Amino acid sequence: GKSAEHITKAPSEYLKSLYFDTVVHDHAALDYLIRYFGHDHVVVGTDHQPVPLRDRQAQQAVANRATDQ
């Protein structure tokens, strides 16, 4: 279709511009995001209004997995 005419890269290349938050409610899902997309594409997220960053568990999970890579 016409959309394909505007794609200049492989679809997998566009994934490199996406970022994901840690609000996944499942450790396996968080592990997958970090493993597949890289720890530098996973950010600490919240479903609440802006609050001081206090989700130390999510921060530590991303940090731990980053050192494993």
Side-chain angles (χ1 to χ4, degrees):
K2 291 186 177 186
S3 297
E5 296 171 8
H6 301 287
I7 295 176
T8 59
K9 308 183 256 188
S12 59
E13 288 296 310
Y14 290 97
L15 290 175
K16 294 177 182 177
S17 65
L18 298 178
Y19 290 81
F20 305 88
D21 71 41
T22 58
V23 184
V24 293
H25 308 289
D26 182 85
H27 291 290
L30 181 59
D31 285 342
Y32 175 81
L33 287 174
I34 294 168
R35 193 171 47 256
Y36 190 80
F37 296 102
H39 71 276
D40 56 335
H41 281 259
V42 179
V43 298
V44 175
T46 179
D47 288 335
H48 301 287
Q49 294 179 355
V51 295
L53 187 57
R54 293 191 176 115
D55 190 350
R56 301 289 182 222
Q57 185 177 5
Q59 289 176 321
Q60 193 60 48
V62 173
N64 288 344
R65 286 157 182 84
T67 59
D68 292 342
Q69 292 183 353

